Amino acid sequence: MTDFSRIDAVLDRHDRNGTRLVQILRETQEQLGWLSPATLSRIATGIGRPRAEVSGTASFYSFFHTRPRGQYCVLWSDNITDRMLGNTDLMDAMCKKLWLEPGRVSEDGLVSVNTTSCTGMCDQGPAVLVNYRAIPRMTQARLGELVGLIREQKPVAEWPAEWFEVEDNIRRKDILLGHELSNGQALKTALERGAQGTLDEIKAGKLRGRGGAGFSTGMKWEACRNAVGTGGSPAHYVVCNADEGEPGTFKDRVLLNSYADLVFEGMSIAGYVVGAKKGLIYLRGEYRYLLEPMESTLAARRAAGLLGANILGKGFDFDIEIHLGAGAYVCGEESALIESLEGKPGRPRIRPPFPVTRGYLDQPTTVNNVETLAAACLIAAHGGAWYAGHGTEKSAGSKILSVSGDCERPGIYEYPYGVTVRQVLEDCGATDSQAVQISGPSGICVAAEEFGRRIAFEDLPTAGAFMVFDETRDLFEVARNFAHFFAHESCGFCTPCRVGTTLVRNMMDKISRGQGSPYDINELFKLHRVMQGASHCGLGNSACNPVFDTLNKFRPAYERRLKSLDYEPAFDLDAALSQARQMTGRDDAAAHLSNEETT
């Protein structure tokens, strides 16, 4: 079968529909290894879109390759928790064994090694992606075996199956993870209660979004339900945001692995309430290994009459399809996610209009987090009053936390809202903790004197990340890692974020090299104010949060790195001339620039 035949087969499978471009590119790359110019041209012709548009989409996502990447593409997760577990030493050792530099393809075209953002394996790192298949719990011993398999050119599908086993690590269950609902129970109750009655129960349950923003789920569903579709084929849609890209967060990974039925049922209930016939799950590219199991679960639900036409004989039609992301943190923002679902670069839209009125394909769309949709099943089955009886007055229900870092028992912990940070630290076996990063880099850094604060929308809202740092950790390096993350993940749409994240990263690197001064500290505060007020979306607004928090709460970590009280340039002209000195064989005093003042 020729390359063009494979491309055409992929195009036909997706009806040559341009809105499915991201899926077409992904499937084509999986078959051909990379996206050559000829491949992009063939796809552009097949979907009837300009070649530049297809190329622009392909170049936007970090998991798409428009240059050869090697037969084996190895990406080391570079979240701070992976660094704490030794990922840097492991990657360096791998590069030495393979005789290549990070970010380069080996001369024989066999392998490339590089870093990537958090892969959602923070509870079992260091983690690595090999051809986008996750391998957790890397060790020096396993690394040696892995390098041997690459040299033998053994297909990844034939590698030891136990390497790819991802554990749930559920440490504490509450009302959601400990539910005893049977498949279809919540949906059957919702269909019997009626769409309006179910919506009333969701509102009575005070369910709020679990993705971080905390918007009322009932209000969102009601706005979508009341919105009028546009065009010749008006429709409503339900979108599940499973692009769990916030470093330190992995709760959705567990829900989709072991509670997928509950998530799909929550989507079906949402579809029933808002009047949708189709649901879409946007699954992050790092969770590629979950695609086939989730498809099998969907097939089983169709066979059981829980998806498809005339569900449970109630005249309700609804089905779900899965779209896989391709490595773009910004797609966690709902409008950027919708852009990606439509086959475009995932850049956030200007709002209003909001997705509930003009979302996917310009139709009313409700976008909800994985955990939110699963929780909706509890309300459908048990009622709003029962659900509101758990948690606090302003934060009903429970919250699933992804605990990682310096603790004995990292993993998944579910608590009623209102639990203190200190209680979570005790339960996970953390000792001598100096800080906890709540809700990932875009969230809040909590110091030891704040451990009495509570996980709740009225105190410490969170999307789920709970990263623990003990007294041995350097909080400056934690913040610097986060600064690099935001600079890498900025979509580049707006100047404050595109330029601001780069400046923050460069200043943090400058301070790390010992070239910082109080001037740079003041500049960081200025950048925080500018980016918060002028950035287009939440990424830019929150990008300085970890620097701002650690500067205010752990300032000595910065100050001990400052070289002088005066401004220090980041560029060393004399050092830059070292290569010229080496080429000319000169290293005498006259070949060096002097920083001393002359009279």
Side-chain angles (χ1 to χ4, degrees):
M1 196 174 186
T2 66
D3 286 355
F4 278 1
S5 296
R6 290 189 174 94
I7 296 168
D8 289 341
V10 172
L11 288 166
D12 291 340
R13 188 159 55 249
H14 291 279
D15 299 322
R16 298 180 177 263
N17 185 343
T19 64
R20 303 182 66 85
L21 176 57
V22 173
Q23 303 312 300
I24 292 170
L25 291 170
R26 177 185 63 81
E27 291 183 22
T28 301
Q29 180 173 275
E30 283 191 356
Q31 293 197 33
L32 304 183
W34 66 294
L35 301 170
S36 69
T39 296
L40 295 176
S41 295
R42 186 77 173 190
I43 291 173
T45 300
I47 63 174
R49 286 192 177 184
R51 169 67 164 72
E53 187 175 317
V54 173
S55 180
T57 298
S59 62
F60 180 83
Y61 297 92
S62 62
F63 284 5
F64 290 152
H65 301 272
T66 54
R67 295 181 180 179
R69 63 177 187 179
Q71 184 179 337
Y72 298 92
C73 176
V74 181
L75 296 173
W76 288 87
S77 180
D78 201 30
N79 184 33
I80 187 63
T81 53
D82 290 283
R83 290 203 169 194
M84 289 158 59
L85 293 167
N87 75 322
T88 303
D89 291 340
L90 287 168
M91 190 178 89
D92 289 345
M94 184 178 204
C95 289
K96 289 178 181 177
K97 290 176 184 290
L98 292 169
W99 291 85
L100 56 77
E101 297 178 19
R104 304 285 293 271
V105 181
S106 59
E107 291 186 8
D108 58 2
L110 179 64
V111 59
S112 61
V113 178
N114 210 338
T115 59
T116 186
S117 299
C118 179
T119 58
M121 305 287 164
C122 312
D123 56 329
Q124 46 203 298
V128 67
L129 299 177
V130 180
N131 293 352
Y132 301 102
R133 265 56 174 187
I135 301 179
R137 300 178 298 278
M138 285 296 297
T139 62
Q140 288 288 354
R142 180 173 288 183
L143 177 65
E145 295 180 59
L146 190 151
V147 169
L149 292 176
I150 289 175
R151 285 175 173 159
E152 294 171 16
Q153 299 188 35
K154 194 165 189 175
V156 175
E158 298 177 15
W159 290 12
E162 62 269 19
W163 287 8
F164 301 92
E165 292 176 358
V166 178
E167 299 173 356
D168 282 349
N169 288 332
I170 299 175
R171 310 293 188 182
R172 189 185 193 281
K173 297 181 179 181
D174 208 88
I175 58 174
L176 182 58
L177 299 180
H179 81 89
E180 297 180 352
L181 300 177
S182 58
N183 290 343
Q185 180 181 340
L187 180 56
K188 182 175 183 293
T189 304
L191 293 174
E192 291 172 348
R193 186 182 285 121
Q196 184 60 53
T198 300
L199 177 60
D200 291 341
E201 291 298 327
I202 295 292
K203 294 168 74 174
K206 302 179 183 179
L207 180 61
R208 297 173 66 173
R210 297 305 197 247
F215 190 78
S216 165
T217 304
M219 288 179 63
K220 179 179 282 191
W221 287 8
E222 185 173 45
C224 182
R225 171 185 169 88
N226 293 337
V228 179
T230 61
S233 302
H236 288 63
Y237 293 97
V238 173
V239 172
C240 173
N241 185 346
D243 191 52
E244 186 176 50
E246 191 72 43
T249 314
F250 48 88
K251 65 181 179 65
D252 293 348
R253 182 201 81 206
V254 174
L255 287 171
L256 293 169
N257 183 56
S258 297
Y259 296 82
D261 267 302
L262 199 67
V263 178
F264 296 149
E265 194 143 327
M267 291 183 68
S268 301
I269 292 169
Y272 179 59
V273 169
V274 305
K277 292 187 177 182
K278 185 175 183 179
L280 304 101
I281 295 182
Y282 190 92
L283 179 67
R284 71 179 305 208
E286 291 84 348
Y287 294 166
R288 169 65 180 82
Y289 74 97
L290 288 173
L291 181 60
E292 284 79 14
M294 289 172 64
E295 291 284 14
S296 297
T297 302
L298 287 175
R301 291 186 69 84
R302 293 185 189 104
L306 299 175
L307 273 180
N310 194 25
I311 294 173
L312 295 175
K314 298 293 185 180
F316 170 50
D317 301 340
F318 187 78
D319 213 334
I320 296 170
E321 65 180 50
I322 303 171
H323 285 237
L324 205 64
Y329 166 76
V330 72
C331 286
E333 196 276 338
E334 62 178 7
S335 68
L337 182 151
I338 291 171
E339 287 285 291
S340 186
L341 283 174
E342 294 180 354
K344 306 170 189 172
R347 296 189 179 95
R349 294 175 175 176
I350 295 174
R351 299 182 295 178
F354 293 93
V356 288
T357 56
R358 298 285 295 275
Y360 179 63
L361 303 179
D362 274 341
Q363 304 294 342
T365 305
T366 177
V367 182
N368 295 108
N369 175 260
V370 171
E371 186 182 354
T372 309
L373 292 163
C377 291
L378 299 183
I379 298 176
H382 301 300
W386 174 87
Y387 191 80
H390 297 80
T392 70
E393 177 63 27
K394 295 182 180 179
S395 305
S398 63
K399 184 73 189 102
I400 301 176
L401 300 177
S402 309
V403 179
S404 63
D406 293 314
C407 60
E408 292 181 6
R409 296 176 293 278
I412 293 294
Y413 292 76
E414 182 189 9
Y415 295 93
Y417 270 113
V419 66
T420 64
V421 173
R422 182 174 291 108
Q423 182 63 58
V424 180
L425 290 172
E426 290 176 4
D427 290 347
C428 71
T431 57
D432 299 322
S433 303
Q434 67 166 321
V436 177
Q437 186 71 29
I438 304 290
S439 201
S442 63
I444 303 168
C445 184
V446 178
E449 59 270 21
E450 301 175 276
F451 288 171
R453 296 180 66 180
R454 299 181 179 275
I455 303 296
F457 290 109
E458 59 267 36
D459 190 1
L460 291 173
T462 176
F466 191 99
M467 290 186 277
V468 184
F469 304 102
D470 67 20
E471 294 289 349
T472 66
R473 303 300 176 184
D474 185 341
L475 271 297
F476 170 84
E477 285 300 328
V478 172
R480 189 164 79 97
N481 177 267
F482 293 158
H484 275 255
F485 166 77
F486 282 119
H488 177 266
E489 295 296 341
S490 173
C491 76
F493 176 79
C494 70
T495 302
C497 179
R498 181 181 67 252
V499 176
T501 54
T502 301
L503 289 174
V504 171
R505 179 198 64 196
N506 292 347
M507 285 186 185
M508 294 293 282
D509 287 347
K510 179 186 176 186
I511 294 171
S512 177
R513 294 192 300 267
Q515 297 174 323
S517 69
Y519 171 87
D520 299 296
I521 300 294
N522 293 332
E523 287 299 297
L524 287 170
F525 279 115
K526 289 180 184 178
L527 282 168
H528 176 65
R529 290 193 296 271
V530 170
M531 292 172 66
Q532 270 202 327
S535 294
H536 175 59
C537 78
L539 191 156
N541 282 313
S542 60
C544 277
N545 284 1
V547 175
F548 183 76
D549 279 352
T550 50
L551 267 171
N552 283 322
K553 300 174 183 180
F554 303 96
R555 197 179 184 97
Y558 289 76
E559 291 180 338
R560 63 171 170 260
R561 288 177 163 84
L562 303 185
K563 186 174 182 180
S564 71
L565 295 177
D566 301 317
Y567 172 77
E568 286 288 331
F571 182 73
D572 187 337
L573 183 57
D574 184 67
L577 293 172
S578 61
Q579 190 173 6
R581 287 193 293 269
Q582 185 178 12
M583 293 173 64
T584 58
R586 291 278 304 277
D587 198 30
D588 55 279
H592 286 269
L593 296 175
S594 174
N595 292 324
E596 297 179 2
E597 293 184 0
T598 58
T599 57

